[in-house]
Amino acid sequence: MLAIICNKFFNSKTECYFKMSITFSRKLNDYVKLAKPRVISLLDMAALTGFVLGLTKVTDIMSWVYVIPVLIGGSLAAGGGMIINGGLEIEKDKLMQRTSWRPTVKGEVSKKEAYMVGIFLAITGTAIGLLDNLLTSLFIALGFLVYVLVYSIWLKPRTWWNIVIGGLAGSAAAWAGYAASSNAFDIESLMLGLLVFMWTPGHFWSLALRFRDDYAKAEIPMLPVLVDEKTSAKAIAISNILMIPFALYLSVYLGIVYSIITAIFSSILLYYNFKLLKNPTKDEAWRSFKFSSPYLAIILMVAIILKII
Ligand code: HEM
Ligand SMILES: CC(C)=CCC/C(C)=C/CC/C(C)=C/COP(=O)(O)OP(=O)(O)O
């Protein structure tokens, strides 16, 4: 097949393979950009934390094999969701400075192509989750569906509650990880997922406050577009204050060292939020946002390490 195409369109096989490999690597690069790899890495961290908390015996090397399907399947489905989101929002992304560079906006990946590749990745990811168990696969599908249908299509264009409910997509990553090692959903798993859920509004509203002009231009009703800077900063601080008990709750399973480290990093997060409250500028909002992902990553990493040692 490849040989026929090469003979028809190119002077030599070498030229044909060279051009094809360049086209392929460009496309791959476009899809990787659309799939937001940094977001996926933190989702994977949440899934890994769920996985480790769900292990009955961390020293049982064989049980670690089950981490592979949930991480690969979850990453593919989450990436698929974000690629579809890119296809859904071409017109809006065009208007926003932060997103105007996206391959979907530049015409390098068409809407139809984004939908097809995204759906393919979501189905593949969900199927890979089945290698662990049905519950894992269901949570991967739940994360994808909440993100694409509930958040991106239904709530995002309609209400500032969009990301509050949309946060459940992130919880699903933690639940999938826990299910992969335990085939269960219990209080421990629920609370880890709720930590991600409660963390999401503070994370996102900081970014939305930084890019409030962008969101206003695209007429997306994010909270900082609907209320003034001071009220947005208050909402960020309050939502993070409400999140901290969920972060600390995991001490029940992880002990005093976890609670001390979590308390220290939570104080730093609140310090950024109070600075933002005092001075609700774009720069301060950016600083709050930039600390939010490392905050969650550190807490999750500490949880993983403490459970293993
Ligand atoms: C509905 C819920 C959420 C919304 C609306 C949201 C929104 C965003 C947006 C718009 C960005 C900027 C991305 C870009 O321009 O490429 C971002 C960055 C990011 N998000 Fe979220 N997010 C949500 C939930 C989550 C969850 C659950 C996680 C992981 C647990 C996460 C992890 C990250 C990370 C790691 C970054 C990159 C941070 C950086 O650049 O410093 N987000 N998020
Ligand atoms: C399978 C699984 C567990 C899926 C999880 C999906 C998930 C939690 C995605 C994170 C949400 C996210 C990065 C939204 C970006 O907002 P946006 O799309 O509104 O950003 P934009 O303004 O940059 O388009």
Side-chain angles (χ1 to χ4, degrees), residues 16-120:
C16 172
Y17 292 148
F18 180 67
K19 290 215 165 127
M20 275 195 174
S21 69
I22 287 190
T23 311
F24 177 77
S25 67
R26 263 198 207 135
K27 269 276 175 226
L28 190 65
N29 193 26
D30 285 344
Y31 281 110
V32 170
K33 281 187 206 155
L34 284 172
K36 304 194 176 114
R38 270 184 295 186
V39 180
I40 293 182
S41 65
L42 194 53
L43 286 167
D44 280 345
M45 185 80 97
L48 183 62
T49 311
F51 183 87
V52 173
L53 291 184
L55 282 171
T56 32
K57 228 171 126 194
V58 289
T59 47
D60 176 9
I61 300 296
M62 280 318 286
S63 57
W64 279 88
V65 171
Y66 296 103
V67 80
I68 298 167
V70 71
L71 291 185
I72 295 179
S75 302
L76 291 181
M82 290 188 262
I83 290 167
I84 293 176
N85 177 282
L88 283 167
E89 297 179 348
I90 295 178
E91 293 313 316
K92 287 186 173 164
D93 282 348
K94 224 178 252 175
L95 301 172
M96 306 207 292
Q97 171 227 326
R98 183 179 60 85
T99 54
S100 57
W101 57 269
R102 288 193 173 150
T104 34
V105 175
K106 297 277 179 211
E108 281 139 13
V109 172
S110 74
K111 193 183 270 261
K112 198 170 153 199
E113 204 187 315
Y115 292 163
M116 278 176 6
V117 171
I119 290 170
F120 170 75

Side-chain angles (χ1 to χ4, degrees), residues 13 47 51-52 56 58 76 81 84 95 111 121 142 144 152 157-158 164 203 269-270 302:
K13 262 195 186 147
F51 183 87
V52 173
T56 32
V58 289
L76 291 181
I84 293 176
L95 301 172
K111 193 183 270 261
L121 290 178
L142 178 77
F144 170 80
S152 300
R158 288 179 178 78
V164 181
H203 156 74
L269 182 69
L270 289 187
V302 170

Side-chain angles (χ1 to χ4, degrees), residues 83-248:
I83 290 167
I84 293 176
N85 177 282
L88 283 167
E89 297 179 348
I90 295 178
E91 293 313 316
K92 287 186 173 164
D93 282 348
K94 224 178 252 175
L95 301 172
M96 306 207 292
Q97 171 227 326
R98 183 179 60 85
T99 54
S100 57
W101 57 269
R102 288 193 173 150
T104 34
V105 175
K106 297 277 179 211
E108 281 139 13
V109 172
S110 74
K111 193 183 270 261
K112 198 170 153 199
E113 204 187 315
Y115 292 163
M116 278 176 6
V117 171
I119 290 170
F120 170 75
L121 290 178
I123 293 173
T124 310
T126 306
I128 290 176
L130 277 174
L131 296 174
D132 279 331
N133 51 53
L134 182 62
L135 194 57
T136 304
S137 170
L138 287 178
F139 280 131
I140 291 175
L142 178 77
F144 170 80
L145 293 174
V146 169
Y147 177 52
V148 174
L149 298 183
V150 179
Y151 168 73
S152 300
I153 296 179
W154 182 30
L155 298 176
K156 185 171 174 182
R158 288 179 178 78
T159 165
W160 65 270
W161 279 96
N162 49 17
I163 57 103
V164 181
I165 315 290
L168 277 177
S171 311
W175 294 333
Y178 193 89
S181 57
S182 66
N183 198 10
F185 177 63
D186 55 21
I187 295 282
E188 191 173 359
S189 173
L190 174 74
M191 294 308 285
L192 177 66
L194 289 184
L195 162 61
V196 179
F197 175 76
M198 295 299 294
W199 165 88
T200 305
H203 156 74
F204 179 71
W205 287 333
S206 306
L207 177 96
L209 181 54
R210 162 66 186 82
F211 291 103
R212 106 194 260 263
D213 305 338
D214 257 5
Y215 283 111
K217 215 193 282 171
E219 296 181 358
I220 300 174
M222 295 304 185
L223 185 71
V225 173
L226 307 178
V227 300
D228 62 24
E229 288 93 335
K230 192 94 188 163
T231 314
S232 306
K234 246 185 229 164
I236 293 164
I238 291 171
S239 80
N240 278 337
I241 289 170
L242 293 175
M243 179 265 297
I244 292 169
F246 287 83
L248 287 172

